[in-house]
Amino acid sequence: GAVVSQHPSWVICKSGTSVKIECRSLDFQATTMFWYRQFPKQSLMLMATSNEGSKATYEQGVEKDKFLINHASLTLSTLTVTSAHPEDSSFYICSARVTSGPYEQYFGPGTRLTVT
Amino acid sequence: TQLLEQSPQFLSIQEGENLTVYCNSSSVFSSLQWYRQEPGEGPVLLVTVVTGGEVKKLKRLTFQFGDARKDSSLHITAAQPGDTGLYLCAGHVTGTASKLTFGTGTRLQVTL
């Protein structure tokens, strides 16, 4: 149980275009999902908390107009990188939190974004 | 300032050796998790500890939560090449149930 999927697993886009990444909880409902960014050989950095039916909460320093998050259902959250630039190239990982117990998070396999 | 410091940052050992990874903080955590991440993949949850002093075992891995719930350790006995990966501790600071704070990470390489 507690499987989270991401799509696509990798994407290459041109500078100035927008890219949408999907995060789905496959076998459980997640009122809260999280989006992380990870640079090579570094730990995960939380970008934003996505709550179903409400606006996302962004971490300090993360541009909400650049990284648009939508959590329209209990099993789907999307991250759209708008007007992408090469510095947005990174590994983006989502997670979904189970609603009971010690708030364990289960992670998706990640999406490798390369902006050329 | 990093809330959760892991040590060592990098560890290269031979198959069969034992090792310990430490995760330290000045903050109190209501729960703490350990993950393992392989290149190009998302982190995989290994264990969750919630009680101060708690010890959990997962085959050759032993996890301990400090009595004051400010630190944790991961001990691997007789490491194998399949243990290679990035080990991350992460926890919920008491009073901030939703956000998971990640440690700095420990990269383990086990060679034959």
Side-chain angles (χ1 to χ4, degrees), chain B:
Chain B
T1 301
Q2 186 67 39
L3 206 54
L4 273 170
E5 293 285 347
Q6 285 183 239
S7 61
Q9 290 184 344
F10 182 76
L11 193 56
S12 180
I13 61 172
Q14 290 189 321
E15 183 180 20
E17 292 185 34
N18 301 331
L19 67 116
T20 301
V21 177
Y22 299 94
C23 175
N24 294 295
S25 175
S26 58
S27 300
V28 177
F29 289 84
S30 56
S31 68
L32 196 138
Q33 285 125 39
W34 283 92
Y35 294 84
R36 188 177 83 189
Q37 184 183 24
E38 300 195 28
E41 299 181 10
V44 174
L45 179 65
L46 297 174
V47 78
T48 299
V49 286
V50 296
T51 305
E54 182 177 5
V55 176
K56 281 191 174 180
K57 291 192 175 184
L58 184 66
K59 297 183 180 179
R60 294 176 293 100
L61 279 60
T62 301
F63 305 86
Q64 185 164 8
F65 201 12
D67 291 340
R69 291 185 287 132
K70 292 183 178 182
D71 56 87
S72 180
S73 64
L74 157 61
H75 182 79
I76 300 179
T77 303
Q80 299 176 359
D83 296 327
T84 294
L86 177 66
Y87 288 83
L88 296 161
C89 65
H92 293 100
V93 175
T94 301
T96 61
S98 63
K99 291 171 58 171
L100 194 62
T101 300
F102 272 87
T104 48
T106 295
R107 191 164 297 278
L108 172 64
Q109 184 173 4
V110 183
T111 56
L112 293 171

Side-chain angles (χ1 to χ4, degrees), chain A residues 20-96:
Chain A
K20 179 184 284 189
I21 302 170
E22 292 185 349
C23 177
R24 294 182 185 272
S25 57
L26 299 184
D27 51 2
F28 67 102
Q29 293 183 333
T31 55
T32 304
M33 291 184 173
F34 303 86
W35 287 95
Y36 295 84
R37 185 173 181 176
Q38 186 177 33
F39 293 103
K41 298 186 178 182
Q42 293 188 22
S43 187
L44 278 69
M45 181 188 74
L46 179 65
M47 298 176 65
T49 301
S50 170
N51 295 296
E52 187 265 337
S54 64
K55 291 183 178 180
T57 302
Y58 291 81
E59 294 300 300
Q60 191 173 9
V62 178
E63 299 176 60
K64 61 181 180 181
D65 294 331
K66 181 169 187 58
F67 298 100
L68 300 179
I69 292 173
N70 184 274
H71 193 159
S73 78
L74 289 173
T75 59
L76 174 65
S77 176
T78 60
L79 168 67
T80 301
V81 183
T82 62
S83 186
H85 290 284
E87 56 265 31
D88 298 326
S89 298
S90 190
F91 194 52
Y92 292 88
I93 308 174
C94 73
S95 71

